[in-house]
Amino acid sequence: MNVLELECSACGRKYDASIEQHLCTCGKPLLARYDLRRAAATLNLENLKSRPRTLWRYAEVLPNDPTVSLGEGMTALVHAERLGASIVCGLGGLQHLFIKDEGLNPTGSFKARGMTTAVSRAKQLGAKALAAPTAGNAGGALAAYAAAAGLPAVIVMPADAPVANVMECQAFGAKVVKLNGLISDCGKYVAEHKDREGWYDVSTLKEPYRIEGKKTMGYELWEQFGGKLPDVILYPTGGGVGLIGMCKAFDEMQEMGWIGAERPRMVAVQAEGCAPIVRAWEAHQSSAQFFPNAATVASGLRVPGPLGDLMILSMLRQTKGTALTVTDDEMLHAGRELASMEGIFAAPEGAATVIATRKLAASGWIQPEETVVLFNTGTGYKYAEAWQRALQSAGGGAL
Ligand SMILES: Cc1ncc(COP(=O)(O)O)c(C=O)c1O
Ligand SMILES: [Zn+2]
């Protein structure tokens, strides 16, 4: 087993990784720890050249269970020259703007990364049924990987989640429970039913292995930039697992001697209608308050009470990053820009990072010579409702 032990992200308490584990007794998430010296002996740019083009190429720093894989990871890193040139930054535009297109993953979002590792591990640990609350995309990914693993899945989502997410879960054979509420209400439902029903809880950060899949976004950036990391990473933050995962990857890389203490400045982008992390950041707080009446077209950003708030805020501080909001109208507008200038049909969450870049470049926080990576976390094909609104408001007429 590659994972030596699990360690609490808040209090440091250690747990046995060879049995099913969820949260620490203090209520905070657990992180997987490896023998990184051993990993570094075989994991390097040269060896990576001949490995399969999935995230499992980083095997030494992942749980080594028999994998339930659908070909996830190694998504394109697109040089967005036209979009970069259109961003006002100093006297010219941004020449080194890149988009990591996570919409190219199985089930159309970066959620596939977390689910390949979590479902592989759950199956190995003997799980009989998998359950998770979801804003939409995580449910689709869990349902797909559960089907690939031959396990039943229960997906609990808000009744107003994008219709494509409901359909994909049903097509993958999962049981879908729709609730009139937010993802936080769906989380309560799973917590209340899991013991009685015998479900293995795959909720965000409530098991330690989704982070492990998500962290590979950080490893891929390093590999795709030829052994370097960018200056700035903009990430649409809901539960924050991708942001936490990438920062964990950077710490592991430093321990393996790949990089020094320098880090990309991490930027958490949230929706104006649901911004618990941004509000806490602006108030210089180390934890976030529950965000009341959360509402945004970017369903993945509608996470009013993220469990990883302490980690997210501390990583923003440690990397000298920042956090900012964008409105739904800005996201929909930016989605059209990204599509028409770069040929990328993005989720509103991904489009949000374009507006955030414009704002940070205009204020001088991003400098013209810097290498900047935007995460398009999902494909626009899942967001028929949002895109209909975007195209109508652009004068496209009735669809
Ligand atoms: C497309 C998309 N982007 C971003 C997020 C937020 O992800 P994270 O939990 O890693 O912050 C989600 C979560 O549902 C999502 O579906
Ligand atoms: Zn703890």
Side-chain angles (χ1 to χ4, degrees):
M1 173 59 173
N2 274 350
V3 180
L4 293 181
E5 60 190 2
L6 299 168
E7 186 182 5
C8 175
S9 56
C11 73
R13 193 169 159 186
K14 306 278 173 50
Y15 290 83
D16 181 356
S18 69
I19 54 173
E20 181 175 339
Q21 302 283 5
H22 291 276
L23 292 174
C24 178
T25 48
C26 81
K28 287 295 174 188
L30 302 178
L31 299 173
R33 300 295 182 209
Y34 301 81
D35 180 347
L36 292 170
R37 231 183 1 187
R38 200 183 79 178
T42 49
L43 189 58
N44 53 51
L45 275 182
E46 195 48 41
N47 286 354
L48 281 168
K49 280 185 193 151
S50 57
R51 294 196 182 180
R53 291 188 63 78
T54 75
L55 61 77
W56 290 101
R57 62 204 278 107
Y58 309 107
E60 290 89 337
V61 288
L62 292 172
N64 50 341
D65 301 303
T67 56
V68 181
S69 173
L70 295 168
E72 54 291 318
M74 279 315 264
T75 53
L77 181 65
V78 179
H79 190 182
E81 291 181 72
R82 200 168 295 111
L83 182 66
S86 79
I87 291 177
V88 178
C89 190
L91 295 176
L94 269 183
Q95 278 175 29
H96 310 290
L97 180 69
F98 293 83
I99 296 166
K100 182 80 170 144
D101 192 4
E102 291 293 301
L104 300 172
N105 276 301
T107 71
S109 88
F110 73 134
K111 299 285 178 182
R113 292 181 185 268
M115 291 307 176
T116 186
T117 42
V119 173
S120 298
R121 190 83 194 104
K123 184 170 176 157
Q124 182 73 4
L125 291 169
K128 296 284 176 284
L130 309 174
T134 176
N137 285 320
L142 175 57
Y145 284 87
L151 289 171
V154 182
I155 310 297
V156 189
M157 62 171 91
D160 58 354
V163 68
N165 294 132
V166 180
M167 284 196 287
E168 63 179 336
C169 291
Q170 289 170 338
F172 291 130
K175 179 178 172 200
V176 178
V177 178
K178 289 198 228 166
L179 295 185
N180 284 320
L182 299 173
I183 188 169
S184 41
D185 302 300
C186 300
K188 275 188 213 133
Y189 182 95
V190 172
E192 282 163 15
H193 287 73
K194 67 180 168 50
D195 291 337
R196 190 170 357 120
E197 305 285 346
W199 299 339
Y200 180 106
D201 188 355
V202 199
S203 302
T204 303
L205 296 175
K206 288 193 185 166
E207 62 72 55
Y209 300 106
R210 278 172 68 177
I211 288 191
E212 294 307 291
K214 294 264 189 99
K215 79 180 180 189
T216 59
M217 295 189 289
Y219 280 96
E220 281 176 29
L221 285 181
W222 178 82
E223 190 182 351
Q224 289 174 318
F225 280 117
K228 276 197 307 244
L229 290 173
D231 299 301
V232 180
I233 295 176
L234 288 99
Y235 180 79
T237 304
V241 185
L243 195 146
I244 296 167
M246 279 191 274
C247 290
K248 180 174 190 280
F250 302 149
D251 290 347
E252 290 174 356
M253 289 178 199
Q254 185 176 358
E255 238 183 289
M256 289 192 287
W258 293 8
I259 59 171
E262 73 286 355
R263 291 288 184 275
R265 306 199 305 283
M266 304 300 288
V267 181
V269 183
Q270 295 204 299
E272 189 65 35
C274 183
I277 297 296
V278 177
R279 294 294 164 260
W281 176 256
E282 287 169 349
H284 306 286
Q285 283 161 353
S286 57
S287 64
Q289 308 280 321
F290 190 86
F291 195 93
N293 308 318
T296 167
V297 69
S299 44
L301 303 186
R302 208 165 46 148
V303 183
L307 185 60
D309 57 339
L310 295 179
M311 276 189 281
I312 301 169
L313 289 160
S314 115
M315 285 161 180
L316 296 182
R317 272 193 311 275
Q318 278 169 28
T319 65
K320 302 188 173 55
T322 190
L324 72 165
T325 60
V326 305
T327 67
D328 280 7
D329 283 345
E330 286 175 325
M331 280 183 227
L332 297 174
H333 178 78
R336 298 199 307 270
E337 285 182 329
L338 195 48
S340 60
M341 285 189 198
E342 299 294 342
I344 293 175
F345 192 51
E349 291 86 342
T353 63
V354 174
I355 295 289
T357 306
R358 287 198 186 284
K359 291 182 181 177
L360 293 174
S363 73
W365 195 90
I366 291 176
Q367 294 290 308
E369 69 285 356
E370 289 190 305
T371 300
V372 179
V373 173
L374 314 187
F375 269 84
N376 174 36
T377 40
T379 174
Y381 294 105
K382 292 260 191 96
Y383 289 80
E385 299 92 335
W387 269 100
Q388 199 161 28
R389 216 175 109 186
L391 294 169
Q392 268 165 356
S393 66
L399 294 172

